[in-house]
Amino acid sequence: MRETRSIVIFVVGAKLAILSFGFIAFLLLSTQTVGRLSSIWVRWDALAYLNIAQQGYTAVGPHRWDIVFFPVYPLLVSLLTPITGDSAMSGIIVSGIASVFLGVFFHDLVRLDHPSRVADISVWFLFIYPTSYFLHIPYTESAFLALVVASFLAARKDRWLLAGLLGAVACATRINGLVLCLALPLEVWYLWRQDRKFNWSWLWLGLVPIGFLAYLALNYFVFGDPFAFMAAQREHWQKFLANPIPAVFGKFRGVLAETRPTQLLEGAFEIIFLGFGLLMTLIGWRSMRASYRVRMIASLLLFVSTSFILSVPRYTLTLFPMFIVMAIVFKKPARLAVASIISILYLALFTASFVQGRWAF
């Protein structure tokens, strides 16, 4: 109970610090005017999620492209908006509540395998990660990651029905929830190898892909095509599944050829964060559970198996095993201090850029 209370206090404190810092950065650095305080966080994908929460999905008009955004998060926002009267504030509250649960669940999950200090530092690194501001604003990161971590935690505690249900909701929140279909069965494999006895409750994991099937049904209901989201991605954003090797080399070539400083840095950060995720996977390979390895590798492949690479710094935020590896690698005081300073500085930089309306992943 004391550990849980400490985690809640830390997450809420981090949330208040980031949101207040963002507002001050906006006042000092931006030439834009602001109506409601919450509006400075409504950028890029957040606009689509809030529009879905307000209007739902449509097959006509400029918002038909919103079908590529999964339904769970905007549904939660829509349920809260009649109370708050402001969808942006509702999004911040939903993400805020989800981030608190995420902190508690993640700490509990890490504690199953590691000492309390490693669990504490894992949560610390998650919430000071350079793109962790997405955990507190109208984006899906906190809700999705809370569902994924809770699903793993339920599986580790032999609560297979709950693991399946949480996994299903995660699959209806983000497409990379499908990685759970590969990762969670490895927890079953681990248990089966111990005594070679089959547990019928393991079959509840069959619920996990139902969340994605529900999303396909939504596509069919709105467009008459269960894969309408793929057509929308290709037509509007020119994004589609592709060989990851050309995408990675294309990003390298693009960075080397770029002469505009801002675009060069954006491309460089994409490569740096991708490389960091891969590095943490390799460093932690032997100490990671098999399910965590699959989570890392499959997610990284999904990030780059596309026509062009974008938003990797934000996507790596959902690689929760990475923060466990970071906690182990940087747990010595000097390493912890240096890594924390670097992470917090870039968190401040990206947050300040985001609230000014600049692209920040």
Side-chain angles (χ1 to χ4, degrees):
M1 180 62 72
R2 183 176 299 176
E3 284 187 335
T4 299
R5 184 167 60 249
S6 297
I7 294 298
V8 171
I9 292 172
F10 166 66
V11 174
V12 172
K15 185 183 311 300
L16 293 175
I18 289 172
L19 294 178
S20 60
F21 174 83
F23 182 61
I24 293 171
F26 178 85
L27 292 178
L28 292 177
L29 302 174
S30 180
T31 58
Q32 306 171 44
T33 57
V34 60
R36 297 189 179 187
L37 175 61
S38 58
S39 64
I40 64 173
W41 302 105
V42 183
R43 312 284 188 184
W44 313 107
D45 291 3
L47 292 167
Y49 284 118
L50 297 186
N51 179 71
I52 296 168
Q54 295 166 354
Q55 308 293 334
Y57 293 95
T58 179
V60 296
H63 292 296
R64 64 188 183 279
W65 313 115
D66 290 351
I67 191 62
V68 303
F69 299 98
F70 281 49
V72 167
Y73 182 78
L75 174 61
L76 294 174
V77 173
S78 69
L79 294 175
L80 189 61
T81 300
I83 300 173
T84 64
D86 180 359
S87 59
M89 183 57 67
S90 297
I92 291 174
I93 293 172
V94 168
S95 294
I97 294 172
S99 66
V100 172
F101 280 108
L102 167 60
V104 173
F105 294 154
F106 187 40
H107 191 273
D108 288 350
L109 182 63
V110 180
R111 283 286 286 117
L112 296 177
D113 301 307
H114 300 281
S116 182
R117 174 170 168 74
V118 172
D120 292 343
I121 300 174
S122 299
V123 175
W124 166 257
F125 275 127
L126 170 60
F127 282 90
I128 66 162
Y129 194 63
T131 53
S132 63
Y133 52 94
F134 284 107
L135 297 173
H136 311 293
I137 64 177
Y139 271 70
T140 61
E141 269 65 25
S142 58
F144 173 71
L145 195 48
L147 289 164
V148 168
V149 170
S151 183
F152 270 97
L153 183 61
R156 294 291 305 279
K157 292 186 174 183
D158 291 322
R159 302 178 65 182
W160 298 100
L161 173 58
L162 182 59
L165 290 172
L166 290 168
V169 181
C171 282
T173 305
R174 291 269 291 269
I175 193 167
N176 47 335
L178 287 171
V179 174
L180 289 170
C181 297
L182 301 175
L184 289 179
L186 289 175
E187 294 295 338
V188 170
W189 172 249
Y190 177 83
L191 293 173
W192 183 81
R193 286 202 310 170
Q194 290 180 337
D195 55 19
R196 305 283 175 168
K197 293 182 179 178
F198 186 81
N199 183 347
W200 288 98
S201 63
W202 293 337
L203 296 179
W204 286 118
L205 291 184
L207 294 173
V208 173
I210 289 178
F212 183 67
L213 294 176
Y215 173 63
L216 296 183
L218 172 66
N219 276 253
Y220 183 80
F221 177 77
V222 177
F223 284 88
D225 177 4
F227 299 102
F229 72 100
M230 297 181 68
Q233 281 276 25
R234 179 184 287 270
E235 183 178 348
H236 188 62
W237 284 278
Q238 292 76 53
K239 291 203 73 175
F240 47 87
L241 287 175
N243 186 333
I245 296 176
V248 172
F249 279 100
K251 178 59 68 173
F252 271 102
R253 287 194 298 269
V255 170
L256 292 175
E258 186 59 69
T259 58
R260 295 167 296 177
T262 301
Q263 284 72 16
L264 188 151
L265 284 173
E266 289 172 359
F269 281 130
E270 299 281 357
I271 295 172
I272 290 168
F273 278 80
L274 179 62
F276 185 74
L278 182 59
L279 178 64
M280 290 296 104
T281 302
L282 295 175
I283 290 174
W285 188 264
R286 297 185 65 180
S287 62
M288 277 188 204
R289 298 178 69 84
S291 60
Y292 293 178
R293 294 175 196 160
V294 168
R295 170 77 186 154
M296 293 291 288
I297 292 298
S299 295
L300 286 168
L301 279 174
L302 190 60
F303 299 163
V304 298
S305 296
T306 180
S307 51
F308 61 92
I309 295 173
L310 190 69
S311 299
V312 170
R314 171 161 61 94
Y315 294 161
T316 55
L317 180 63
T318 64
L319 300 177
F320 72 86
M322 179 176 70
F323 300 105
I324 305 174
V325 177
M326 291 175 66
I328 295 171
V329 172
F330 300 116
K331 66 181 177 181
K332 291 186 177 180
R335 294 180 184 179
L336 178 60
V338 172
S340 297
I341 290 170
I342 293 172
S343 188
I344 291 172
L345 286 174
Y346 279 98
L347 170 60
L349 174 65
F350 294 161
T351 301
S353 295
F354 185 91
V355 297
Q356 294 177 75
R358 296 178 181 174
W359 175 250
F361 317 111

